[in-house]
Amino acid sequence: MERFNSNKGGHINSAYDSNLDEPPVYEETNDDHRMVRPSVISAFGHDTLDRVPHIDFYRNAGSMSGHRAVRPSLQELHDVFQKVSECRCVRCVRSLCFSSLVGTQSPPLSIGTPSDDLESAAPTDDMTGMVKFGWIRGVLVRCMLNIWGVMLFIRLSWVFGQAGWGLGIVIIALSCVVTTITGISMSAICTNGVVRGGGAYYMISRSLGPEFGGSIGLIFAFANAVGVSMYVVGFAETVVDLLKEHSAIMVDEMNDIRIIGCITIVLLLGISVAGMEWEAKAQIILLVILLVAIVNVFVGTVIPATKEKKAQGFFNYRSKIFLENFTPEFRDGETFFSVFAIFFPAATGILAGANISGDLRDAQAALPKGTLLAILITGLTYLAMALCVAATVVRDATGNSSSIINYTTPVICNGSTAVACELGYDFSSCEVEKCKFGLMNNFQVMTLVSGFGPLIIAGTFSATLSSALASLVSAPKVFQALCKDNIYRALHFFAKGHGKNNEPIRGYVLTFIISVAFILIGDLNTIAPIISNFFLASYALINFSCFHASYAKSPGWRPAYKYYNMWTSLLGALLCCVVMFVINWWAALLTYGIEFLLYIYVTVKKPDVNWGSSTQAVTFVSAVSNALSLSGVEDHVKNFRPQILVLTGSTRSRPALLDLAHSFSKNYGLCITCEVFVGPRSETFEEMNNAMEKNQLWLKKKKRKAFYAAVACDNFREGTESLLQASGLGRMKPNTLMIGFKKNWRTAGAEAVQSYVGILHDAFDFEYGTAMLRVNQGLDVSHIVEAEGQAPASTYPCLQFKKKQPKGNIDVWWLFDDGGLTLLLPYILTTRKKWKDCKMRIFIAGQPGRSDLDKEEMKGLLKKFRINCSDINVFDDLHTKPRSESLKELQEMIEPFRLHEGSKDPDQIRALQKEQPWKITDKELSQFEEKTHLQVRLNELLKEHSRSANLIIVSMPIARKETISDFLYMAWLDILTKDLPPTLLIRGNHKSVLTFYS
């Protein structure tokens, strides 16, 4: 951000320049390329950078419905104001300057770059040329045409013949319940924000995330593509039946179906590619034909039946027929569920409008209204037509005019033929052998009942072609939306659109190829149940999406459509799953299997998208709920977990420290890597904010299960103190501080050393366990991280904890009982895959003359703790004076920091102590000579026994506050760990973390 300087002025706003007679400006030159921002004399009566609420502030970059605007940042409003001397407005901002002069509220500034995300699709050059549909042509018509399928004219009469109109109503009602609940759930989802192209895929993916959306989107697009071939084959079969009646078969029935099917789909493809406007006109024509055919059936039921029609079972409206057809009469092994499975696919098609959501003028308003009204109209139509034929047609008829009863010979009629006898027709032969007519036997009952038979054939053509056309448009649209999101990178080729409506031409070609392939197969009876289950899986996830979003209770879930219930949506999801098994159990299992595999694939690939899904919301709710539940759980030693606060200069520059901490805490506890930014808050705040996201992403990239936290403070120790006190949440609060050894303590200066040692004192004060890691190469690899990507990983120092450890030892020098943390942490290491080849060796201090007894006691203790080790070593000579060369090394180490008061008079000594209170006095050295020598002696033993260890764990010595100087303590730590393999000093908080009780 750049602020302009200006000269002082006398105006009430010091940035105002009366010569220009324009308002002050505020320019930003960051990466977003923000334009000159003028202040305005707004509704508040004074010139201000603040803006009143406006829709453009809430758009995504590159929004198709309007330009995105950027409101003034908090820093712009809060930072010290700096005036400017001129209004350097570009052309698009001149209007803002002018509007401020006349006292009007200026529109927001617009920025943004196009994005491939559907929610922020790049606007086309000619927005006015795009074809957009309203709720009638875009949703209602399409849904009705898709729901009114071949079932309406071919199998509906058979369904009511088998189930009777009593259970038949239940079948239709149950189907409508499923589709209505799904429609209501969809209405809630699509009114919870702007809906772009992609239909069911878009709604599911934005609600449940890319894992569910990506899996269902692919199979839903495939189902629509295969659905095209199913509908076209249905059309071709009807045409072939007509050719057969007129002896006009071209080759044979199967090949004729293939020929007619391929010709038909080429014509449909031409209509689709021509544009949505042409496709919509074709749909209107097909709708008119279909409506005429439906009306033709109702008209036919009141036209007096001829003798020929009566012989085929049609008697106009008769109460006796209606009552006879009330009860079910399942034949040929059919059951209620098998009949329901045959009818239910006819009720699908409710997503026909949603599938072209990107082509709707106002999808949020159109989808609920059009879809639910279509379900109502089509449901009533199915019910009315079914009841009409149930009241006018008997179940069995011979079709023979000689079946008229002449009453000269007695006729005995039973069962379903009794009603016909009362009406003067003897169909009793149907009790012995299967007849060809009646509800149970003739699939052309609607043609029989209608006023003009050929219209029913036209209606059948219309139903099949309209459904095929809708699916041919839906499949590429959904597939294009899926490919645009780049969830499956190999399919991104199909994301490109063409023309003013961004038509998915490549998707059309792919759908055409898939459809032709299945048409050439010819027999679609096997694939049909799978396709129905694919659609039902989509319905189930739409219902579950609504339930899940409601259950998550996210403030962002605010659907404008209020007539939904989360539990009803869950019921709808369960019903869809049950129906899937009712239709075909193996197809249901196959559908679940395919969806599960795709879900796993997308989960593993982790697409780089963030749609604010309800899955994220539920994760948050669950985390808060679990954290609150955990707060009520009392601490117990058996449930102790190492919850580590890793103090690093920079997360990425201390990989060894973080890797080791991660090994301790992964799947066992919590790991928070922390950083303190030292300096004035105003100067470090921006750096800290940038580091927050950068380091959390780095942890995710490196697959480190850790959190990142940072504070800005004038003093490093104060910042660390804040982290020690405030990090964590409830019971998930760090209990162990892990820090790197300060290798440069001899050159860092007194203030830095005091701060470092002070942190250790603070950790002990707050009852933290403390671990300090030292490696010979040092922990800081920031100079390499800066050039990351240029140097191979093998050149990085101290990354030995990142790779698998070679066969070796973890040497644990458990010298002081600190509650067991010194033993627990190395045990955890041995459970890790990277450390599984390392054996744990225990080294303890023993009393002279009882080493064997001490060893047996330790062996018994370890056995009670269920901790295995390869060897136990007892040292009873720790009190032995170190070698002179070792002591000399220590003396050289502390020499620059000694006060040397022995030869000075008392006044001079007091003056030096006041001036340099941090220096080591002779008295201090004498008082703690034994403890100092112990550190030197331990280093000698460590070099002797653990020089080849993969990792050394040593009990950390403690320096009593205001008794042991900081530099002497640092000398202890330095001499203890000098010239050794990676060494970790550990000191627990002296509360038990191990127990042998069950």
Side-chain angles (χ1 to χ4, degrees):
M1 185 184 297
E2 178 183 332
R3 296 179 178 84
F4 293 107
N5 294 321
S6 66
N7 298 321
K8 295 182 179 179
H11 194 266
I12 189 170
N13 184 333
S14 58
Y16 181 77
D17 189 334
S18 58
N19 295 326
L20 291 174
D21 198 25
E22 289 187 353
V25 296
Y26 199 91
E27 183 172 335
E28 296 190 358
T29 57
N30 58 13
D31 293 337
D32 288 338
H33 304 292
R34 281 182 170 174
M35 305 173 74
V36 177
R37 186 191 303 285
S39 64
V40 295
I41 300 175
S42 64
F44 307 109
H46 63 277
D47 50 341
T48 176
L49 293 176
D50 261 328
R51 295 290 190 271
V52 296
H54 196 282
I55 188 174
D56 288 348
F57 289 135
Y58 299 90
R59 299 189 191 278
N60 284 333
S63 171
M64 296 180 66
S65 54
H67 291 289
R68 177 192 175 192
V70 176
R71 65 179 63 82
S73 69
L74 189 60
Q75 285 69 34
E76 286 180 357
L77 298 174
H78 182 250
D79 283 356
V80 177
F81 187 77
Q82 296 188 21
K83 57 189 177 179
V84 294
S85 58
E86 60 178 321
C87 183
R88 294 165 57 180
C89 299
V90 293
R91 185 181 60 173
C92 63
V93 184
R94 282 289 179 183
S95 59
L96 300 180
C97 299
F98 176 77
S99 62
S100 68
L101 293 176
V102 296
T104 59
Q105 173 62 40
S106 61
L109 294 174
S110 174
I111 70 158
T113 54
S115 168
D116 286 337
D117 184 7
L118 280 174
E119 295 181 74
S120 55
T124 58
D125 294 334
D126 186 13
M127 295 288 289
T128 58
M130 294 182 66
V131 177
K132 293 289 185 178
F133 301 107
W135 72 273
I136 295 178
R137 290 180 65 190
V139 183
L140 179 64
V141 170
R142 292 174 185 279
C143 288
M144 288 195 303
L145 285 172
N146 235 25
I147 298 173
W148 282 333
V150 179
M151 177 67 66
L152 189 65
F153 299 110
I154 304 298
R155 300 297 291 273
L156 184 60
S157 56
W158 177 87
V159 169
F160 269 57
Q162 290 278 355
W165 61 265
L167 289 181
I169 291 175
V170 174
I171 289 174
I172 293 178
L174 185 57
S175 301
C176 288
V177 166
V178 174
T179 55
T180 300
I181 293 176
T182 305
I184 290 173
S185 298
M186 183 191 71
S187 299
I189 295 172
C190 71
T191 58
N192 191 54
V194 177
V195 178
R196 300 300 186 196
Y201 159 72
Y202 183 90
M203 288 184 279
I204 293 171
S205 63
R206 269 48 176 186
S207 296
L208 294 178
E211 295 83 6
F212 283 103
S215 57
I216 202 64
L218 198 59
I219 65 174
F220 186 71
F222 178 77
N224 274 282
V226 178
V228 176
S229 58
M230 290 178 59
Y231 297 127
V232 170
V233 167
F235 168 77
E237 286 177 345
T238 307
V239 175
V240 169
D241 287 342
L242 292 176
L243 294 177
K244 188 177 178 181
E245 288 181 13
H246 296 84
S247 302
I249 296 293
M250 294 177 286
V251 183
D252 56 59
E253 290 188 28
M254 181 58 70
N255 284 314
D256 281 9
I257 290 174
R258 291 167 177 162
I259 294 170
I260 295 170
C262 290
I263 294 173
T264 303
I265 199 169
V266 169
L267 295 175
L268 293 177
L269 180 66
I271 295 173
S272 301
V273 173
M276 291 296 295
E277 186 67 25
W278 284 95
E279 185 266 350
K281 291 177 180 177
Q283 293 281 30
I284 293 296
I285 295 173
L286 294 173
L287 176 64
V288 171
I289 297 173
L290 195 55
L291 289 174
V292 171
I294 292 172
V295 171
N296 181 43
V297 172
F298 291 112
V299 171
T301 58
V302 297
I303 297 176
T306 62
K307 289 184 178 181
E308 182 182 357
K309 287 190 174 183
K310 288 181 179 181
Q312 295 179 18
F314 173 63
F315 294 94
N316 295 111
Y317 290 102
R318 304 283 181 170
S319 60
K320 293 181 179 180
I321 296 177
F322 193 56
L323 292 175
E324 171 64 24
N325 288 336
F326 172 74
T327 57
E329 190 172 322
F330 296 111
R331 300 179 188 175
D332 303 325
E334 300 291 350
T335 64
F336 172 82
F337 292 108
S338 64
V339 173
F340 174 79
I342 290 172
F343 173 80
F344 184 81
T348 60
I350 61 171
L351 296 180
N355 289 339
I356 64 160
S357 54
D359 297 291
L360 299 177
R361 191 176 301 118
D362 184 1
Q364 289 179 283
L367 288 175
K369 193 188 306 181
T371 303
L372 293 175
L373 186 58
I375 293 172
L376 176 63
I377 293 174
T378 54
L380 292 176
T381 304
Y382 271 114
L383 187 60
M385 291 184 67
L387 290 175
C388 283
V389 296
T392 58
V393 183
V394 296
R395 281 191 167 102
D396 296 287
T398 60
N400 192 343
S401 299
S402 62
S403 298
I404 299 177
I405 300 176
N406 56 19
Y407 298 105
T408 57
T409 56
V411 178
I412 300 176
C413 298
N414 296 311
S416 63
T417 61
V419 174
C421 285
E422 296 179 16
L423 296 174
Y425 280 79
D426 179 13
F427 297 147
S428 57
S429 60
C430 295
E431 299 286 342
V432 181
E433 59 182 2
K434 187 177 179 66
C435 293
K436 294 183 178 179
F437 297 94
L439 294 177
M440 303 289 283
N441 312 302
N442 183 15
F443 289 156
Q444 301 298 327
V445 166
M446 292 299 179
T447 304
L448 172 69
V449 171
S450 67
F452 183 61
L455 280 178
I456 301 301
I457 297 174
T460 303
F461 287 169
S462 175
T464 53
L465 293 177
S466 62
S467 297
L469 193 56
S471 296
L472 185 59
V473 171
S474 298
K477 295 279 186 181
V478 174
F479 192 59
Q480 182 187 35
L482 174 66
C483 296
K484 273 188 174 182
D485 287 337
N486 209 18
I487 292 177
Y488 303 99
R489 297 186 184 280
L491 302 178
H492 192 65
F493 171 79
F494 295 97
K496 183 174 176 59
H498 300 269
K500 59 187 179 182
N501 265 48
N502 199 33
E503 294 292 343
I505 302 299
R506 296 173 179 177
Y508 281 128
V509 174
L510 180 62
T511 304
F512 172 78
I513 293 172
I514 294 173
S515 302
V516 168
F518 280 95
I519 288 172
L520 295 177
I521 293 173
D523 184 12
L524 296 177
N525 290 334
T526 303
I527 198 72
I530 301 176
I531 302 307
S532 297
N533 274 278
F534 281 2
F535 284 119
L536 276 168
S538 304
Y539 296 173
L541 280 180
I542 288 175
N543 284 304
F544 185 72
S545 297
C546 182
F547 163 77
H548 203 255
S550 303
Y551 175 77
K553 295 180 173 62
S554 171
W557 174 248
R558 304 183 303 276
Y561 185 86
K562 301 297 182 183
Y563 307 105
Y564 73 95
N565 180 274
M566 60 182 289
W567 301 111
T568 303
S569 296
L570 180 61
L571 175 63
L574 294 175
L575 283 175
C576 289
C577 294
V578 170
V579 172
M580 289 174 68
F581 281 96
V582 169
I583 290 178
N584 191 295
W585 66 269
W586 63 262
L589 291 177
L590 181 62
T591 302
Y592 287 132
I594 295 173
E595 187 173 343
F596 178 74
L597 291 176
L598 291 173
Y599 179 92
I600 294 298
Y601 174 84
V602 177
T603 302
V604 171
K605 289 296 182 181
K606 290 183 173 60
D608 187 19
V609 294
N610 182 11
W611 295 322
S613 65
S614 60
T615 304
Q616 296 170 320
V618 168
T619 302
F620 179 84
V621 171
S622 300
V624 173
S625 177
N626 291 334
L628 290 172
S629 300
L630 193 61
S631 297
V633 178
E634 294 184 9
D635 288 333
H636 193 281
V637 62
K638 288 196 297 184
N639 293 325
F640 174 82
R641 292 173 179 271
Q643 303 188 141
I644 300 174
L645 188 153
V646 186
L647 188 61
T648 65
S650 168
T651 298
R652 296 182 298 159
S653 66
R654 300 287 196 278
L657 192 63
L658 182 58
D659 286 336
L660 198 57
H662 183 254
S663 296
F664 290 142
S665 62
K666 181 183 178 184
N667 299 330
Y668 280 100
L670 175 73
C671 182
I672 305 178
T673 174
C674 300
E675 188 172 357
V676 178
F677 290 85
V678 179
R681 187 175 62 176
S682 59
E683 297 178 7
T684 59
F685 188 72
E686 185 175 353
E687 181 185 359
M688 183 184 72
N689 284 343
N690 293 336
M692 292 286 286
E693 184 176 0
K694 185 187 298 182
N695 283 290
Q696 194 63 57
L697 289 174
W698 185 87
L699 290 170
K700 183 179 179 181
K701 178 183 177 182
K702 299 298 180 182
K703 298 181 180 178
R704 295 291 177 264
K705 294 183 178 180
F707 299 97
Y708 175 82
V711 294
C713 197
D714 293 335
N715 180 279
F716 185 78
R717 181 180 178 182
E718 290 177 1
T720 304
E721 187 177 356
S722 299
L723 290 169
L724 289 171
Q725 294 183 83
S727 295
L729 181 68
R731 292 289 182 184
M732 294 187 297
K733 180 178 177 63
N735 52 32
T736 304
L737 170 67
M738 193 162 181
I739 192 171
F741 175 71
K742 191 172 184 61
K743 192 175 182 181
N744 67 337
W745 67 274
R746 283 186 277 179
T747 59
E751 185 177 350
V753 172
Q754 288 173 332
S755 176
Y756 180 82
V757 176
I759 289 171
L760 299 177
H761 286 309
D762 292 338
F764 293 136
D765 286 342
F766 296 135
E767 295 190 335
Y768 270 68
T770 305
M772 179 188 295
L773 177 64
R774 179 175 186 178
V775 294
N776 283 332
Q777 303 96 327
L779 292 172
D780 193 349
V781 293
S782 57
H783 58 290
I784 296 179
V785 174
E786 293 297 327
E788 190 171 12
Q790 300 176 8
S794 59
T795 65
Y796 289 17
C798 63
L799 292 188
Q800 60 264 48
F801 302 136
K802 189 178 181 67
K803 57 188 178 183
K804 190 177 186 303
Q805 297 297 304
K807 189 174 182 179
N809 297 310
I810 300 175
D811 286 354
V812 181
W813 293 69
W814 193 17
L815 305 176
F816 312 109
D817 194 323
D818 59 351
L821 186 67
T822 306
L823 184 63
L824 178 62
L825 292 184
Y827 163 75
I828 292 175
L829 274 187
T830 62
T831 65
R832 302 304 185 191
K833 186 176 180 180
K834 288 189 294 188
W835 294 85
K836 68 176 183 178
D837 293 331
C838 295
K839 303 295 183 181
M840 195 160 66
R841 299 193 303 178
I842 305 295
F843 298 82
I844 61 172
Q847 296 180 20
R850 50 167 291 166
S851 297
D852 292 339
L853 183 59
D854 289 338
K855 182 174 182 178
E856 289 301 317
E857 288 180 353
M858 178 55 64
K859 186 181 294 184
L861 181 61
L862 293 176
K863 185 177 181 180
K864 286 180 177 291
F865 285 152
R866 289 92 60 201
I867 293 177
N868 297 321
C869 67
S870 62
D871 190 18
I872 298 176
N873 298 276
V874 181
F875 295 97
D876 57 5
D877 58 347
L878 291 179
H879 60 281
T880 304
K881 187 175 181 178
R883 294 190 296 268
S884 58
E885 56 268 25
S886 299
L887 288 175
K888 182 179 180 182
E889 191 173 6
L890 173 67
Q891 293 298 330
E892 292 175 353
M893 188 180 294
I894 64 174
E895 181 62 29
F897 312 107
R898 292 187 59 182
L899 190 63
H900 290 294
E901 72 274 26
S903 60
K904 300 179 177 65
D905 60 73
D907 292 336
Q908 190 178 6
I909 293 173
R910 283 193 292 271
L912 286 173
Q913 286 181 329
K914 185 176 181 180
E915 182 182 349
Q916 298 173 321
W918 44 267
K919 282 206 169 185
I920 305 170
T921 65
D922 295 339
K923 180 182 178 182
E924 181 184 3
L925 278 178
S926 175
Q927 184 178 355
F928 296 103
E929 181 180 20
E930 290 183 358
K931 199 166 185 178
T932 302
H933 286 181
L934 175 62
Q935 314 311 320
V936 181
R937 175 62 178 154
L938 280 173
N939 181 257
E940 291 177 347
L941 294 173
L942 285 164
K943 289 178 180 177
E944 180 180 350
H945 297 280
S946 298
R947 185 177 289 276
S948 62
N950 295 54
L951 178 67
I952 301 174
I953 309 286
V954 186
S955 293
M956 177 189 289
I958 291 181
R960 189 176 296 277
K961 290 190 297 183
E962 299 182 6
T963 304
I964 298 175
S965 64
D966 297 335
F967 278 94
L968 180 59
Y969 185 47
M970 288 303 302
W972 287 0
L973 301 178
D974 195 342
I975 198 66
L976 174 61
T977 58
K978 187 175 177 61
D979 299 328
L980 292 174
T983 304
L984 186 67
L985 299 176
I986 298 178
R987 174 67 72 153
N989 64 0
H990 287 246
K991 295 180 180 179
S992 295
V993 299
L994 293 171
T995 182
F996 46 79
Y997 294 106
S998 60

